[in-house]
Amino acid sequence: MDTKLQLAEALAPLCGMDAAAVQEWFEVPKKADMGDLAFPCFRLAKAMRKAPPAIAAELKEQLVLPAGFSKVEAVGGYLNFFVDTASQATAVLDKVRSMGDAYGSSELGKGKTVCVEYSSINIAKPFGFHHLPTTAIGNALYRIYKFLGYRTIGINHLGDWGTQFGKMITAYKKWGTKPIDDYTIRELVALYVRFHEEAEKDSTLNDEARAWFHKIETGDPEALELWSKMKDGTIREVKVTYQRMGVDFDSWAGESFYEDKMPAIIQELRDKGISKLDHGAEIVDLSEWNMPPCIIVKSDGSTIYATRDLAAACYRKEEYDFSKLLYVVAYQQDLHFKQFFKVLELMGRDWVKDCVHVNFGMVSMEDASFSTRSGNILYLDDILQAAVDKTYAIICEKSPDLEDKQSAAEAVGVGAILWSVLYNNRIKDVSFTWDKILNFDGETAPYVQYTHARCCSVLRKAEEFDFSSADASLLDDPYSAALLKTLEAFPESVLSAADKYEPYVVSRAVVAIASAFNKFYYEQRIMADDPKVKAARLALTDATRQVLKNGLNLLGIVAPERM
Ligand code: ARG
């Protein structure tokens, strides 16, 4: 809020502080009749050698109130400022209109790069419901940082390496019935399951699998081709799901990408005396930090997950020179991240302070037809489809005349699923029910989307009416004022979401806007008789539409115009 900065600048010289410090001291008064902004004078008492109430009174006398404020009062040790609602309304509406789709964005990140690693699924394994949080939260953070002017690199750190691919090839060679490219993920998973069943009875299968993985590692053409076709097939299939969710990546460099980058890391760890031999394995002892050792090379000579992560972090620093590298990965891997961050620190990579493990809790489903069937994995695609089908039924009931019900159902069904992991603190476990996430009146994506569509519908009805030069000072009722406040707060929510790596701050901001709009909508006639009032209310409706759309977009959620 620019007026806040102007006020800070006006106050700063009077208190011998700089404007940034003054801004930090600002508070929001507890009661609305105490004004919109307060400046506490208590901490000035020592330097100014006066009692806080006297300081407040003196500052009040000296201060030239900047535009945007209607009055200032000295109460106790506080200065209370009252915003000039008319000029505030005009400023907010002007800003939203002039910035449009960019309202809430900034150039804060100009010249800086943020790498966001998210989703990171495993090849030839189910793209499961448990991948929802990383995919949705990572995508939202990616969009938020981009909006704030950062160069953003979205990375899908594919699990595309390891002994399981030897098993897959063994199974395929034994029981495969068609070209490997034609296998769907589910069919590949079935092959994998069969491998394990048969290997229980016949352990030579495991030897074969090891031999095949060795062939992949040593570049045998047949093994490499089968492996890479399996990988291509999986990527082709998951891209369809990603597209449904509005998710995209700049890099698909998976674990295999770092195969040739690990030897240098292993060597450096030896040379610097950071790693040591332990029962034939190479490990980094982390007991000093109360952590189990980080294994770098296993006793059979193979590298592991952590080694690849070390190589990946170093590669990314070199390739992208990030100012931040975010890993959106479940909290089950907290220890893994602590360990390999510590190893990077021991290697003298001081940029490890810019690496952040953005962890999150578990997601589960309270629906008998989906959950708890033992050992069953929930495919994300099935959940998305179920949500879309259920939404379709709701829309048929609510809006029987809607023309394109299918695309509205797609947007709302998928939006509801994404929202389920974007509305709370990341670390909270979420368990969702269909009733909860598809509730059009709750704090849900469908509710926000519905409010957005409501704005669009109001504006369609007023299509002929020109409100471009509306007089915002006519928005002087409490419902308009409350709504304007939520619109004004939006840019700060975007900043705060980035700062905390918490997309929920944006979700909450859009819910606050939607609910303020709905109160306004029910309490005030937008199509007022007085054309001037009508113009002002339509302008406010249009601004609401715009900010809801921007907010949903940051969350990767589509904002349909009709539903
Ligand atoms: N593919 C891994 C899994 O599904 C997640 C990878 C997380 N990222 C990382 N850099 N370790 O568990």
Side-chain angles (χ1 to χ4, degrees), residues 289-358:
W289 298 276
N290 292 318
M291 286 189 273
C294 184
I295 300 170
I296 306 294
V297 184
K298 289 200 290 189
S299 52
D300 65 4
S302 58
T303 55
I304 62 162
Y305 189 55
T307 331
R308 286 189 277 278
D309 260 324
L310 290 170
C314 295
Y315 171 83
R316 290 170 189 167
K317 183 64 195 176
E318 229 162 80
E319 179 71 15
Y320 304 117
D321 193 24
F322 56 76
S323 59
K324 238 173 208 151
L325 165 55
L326 310 184
Y327 293 90
V328 186
V329 180
Y331 70 71
Q332 280 88 343
Q333 299 197 29
D334 279 0
L335 177 62
H336 165 71
F337 282 95
K338 278 199 192 107
Q339 286 178 302
F340 97 81
F341 286 173
K342 180 53 84 181
V343 176
L344 284 172
E345 187 189 317
L346 296 173
M347 291 169 82
R349 303 296 204 273
D350 60 347
W351 46 260
V352 69
K353 65 180 187 335
D354 306 319
C355 298
V356 185
H357 176 203
V358 178

Side-chain angles (χ1 to χ4, degrees), residues 292-532:
C294 184
I295 300 170
I296 306 294
V297 184
K298 289 200 290 189
S299 52
D300 65 4
S302 58
T303 55
I304 62 162
Y305 189 55
T307 331
R308 286 189 277 278
D309 260 324
L310 290 170
C314 295
Y315 171 83
R316 290 170 189 167
K317 183 64 195 176
E318 229 162 80
E319 179 71 15
Y320 304 117
D321 193 24
F322 56 76
S323 59
K324 238 173 208 151
L325 165 55
L326 310 184
Y327 293 90
V328 186
V329 180
Y331 70 71
Q332 280 88 343
Q333 299 197 29
D334 279 0
L335 177 62
H336 165 71
F337 282 95
K338 278 199 192 107
Q339 286 178 302
F340 97 81
F341 286 173
K342 180 53 84 181
V343 176
L344 284 172
E345 187 189 317
L346 296 173
M347 291 169 82
R349 303 296 204 273
D350 60 347
W351 46 260
V352 69
K353 65 180 187 335
D354 306 319
C355 298
V356 185
H357 176 203
V358 178
N359 57 2
F360 54 81
M362 303 235 286
V363 53
S364 61
M365 176 96 178
E366 292 171 28
D367 180 328
S369 63
F370 275 101
S371 60
T372 58
R373 274 180 295 164
S374 66
N376 257 7
I377 290 188
L378 295 180
Y379 282 78
L380 187 48
D381 236 353
D382 291 347
I383 307 272
L384 292 175
Q385 195 51 48
V388 171
D389 293 344
K390 284 174 196 288
T391 306
Y392 187 81
I394 297 174
I395 290 180
C396 287
E397 204 176 292
K398 268 187 164 292
S399 325
D401 300 329
L402 183 69
E403 267 176 32
D404 191 358
K405 296 191 183 71
Q406 196 54 52
S407 63
E410 177 74 21
V412 176
V414 173
I417 297 288
L418 294 172
W419 185 273
S420 69
V421 292
L422 295 173
Y423 192 60
N424 286 306
N425 223 297
R426 290 183 330 254
I427 204 69
K428 259 182 91 167
D429 290 341
V430 275
S431 111
F432 78 63
T433 64
W434 292 113
D435 287 347
K436 204 156 61 186
I437 70 163
L438 293 177
N439 180 357
F440 279 42
D441 301 315
E443 295 175 351
T444 59
Y447 170 70
V448 178
Q449 288 168 312
Y450 194 75
T451 308
H452 172 267
R454 170 173 279 164
C455 294
C456 293
S457 147
V458 169
L459 294 162
R460 270 196 304 275
K461 284 188 198 125
E463 217 158 20
E464 305 286 291
F465 189 79
D466 179 17
F467 55 83
S468 58
S469 48
D471 176 2
S473 72
L474 298 171
L475 297 170
D476 52 4
D477 66 282
Y479 303 101
S480 304
L483 174 55
L484 281 161
K485 254 194 182 161
T486 63
L487 297 179
E488 185 179 28
F490 179 71
E492 276 196 45
S493 304
V494 180
L495 288 173
S496 152
D499 207 43
K500 299 180 171 145
Y501 319 114
E502 287 281 18
Y504 86 81
V505 183
V506 172
S507 316
R508 306 249 159 177
V510 292
V511 162
I513 295 167
S515 92
F517 176 79
N518 286 316
K519 286 195 189 106
F520 161 75
Y521 176 85
Y522 286 116
E523 298 293 339
Q524 301 290 349
R525 251 185 64 216
I526 297 180
M527 302 300 197
D529 295 332
D530 179 345
K532 285 193 173 138

Side-chain angles (χ1 to χ4, degrees), residues 114-156:
V114 172
C115 294
V116 188
E117 192 215 280
Y118 57 110
S119 203
S120 301
I121 52 152
N122 301 315
I123 295 299
K125 290 260 179 76
F127 185 178
F129 184 45
H130 59 282
H131 289 110
L132 173 65
T134 169
T135 308
I137 294 168
N139 185 44
L141 291 175
Y142 177 85
R143 286 166 178 253
I144 289 169
Y145 275 97
K146 205 179 198 107
F147 204 52
L148 294 176
Y150 291 86
R151 176 174 78 125
T152 41
I153 312 286
I155 305 172
N156 196 336

Side-chain angles (χ1 to χ4, degrees), residues 159-168 209 212-213 216-217 227 255-256 259 303 308:
D160 61 357
W161 203 246
T163 48
Q164 73 269 29
F165 293 98
K167 295 178 186 171
M168 289 301 307
W212 272 113
F213 183 59
I216 302 178
E217 281 184 303
W227 167 78
E255 296 188 31
S256 67
E259 262 308 279
T303 55
R308 286 189 277 278

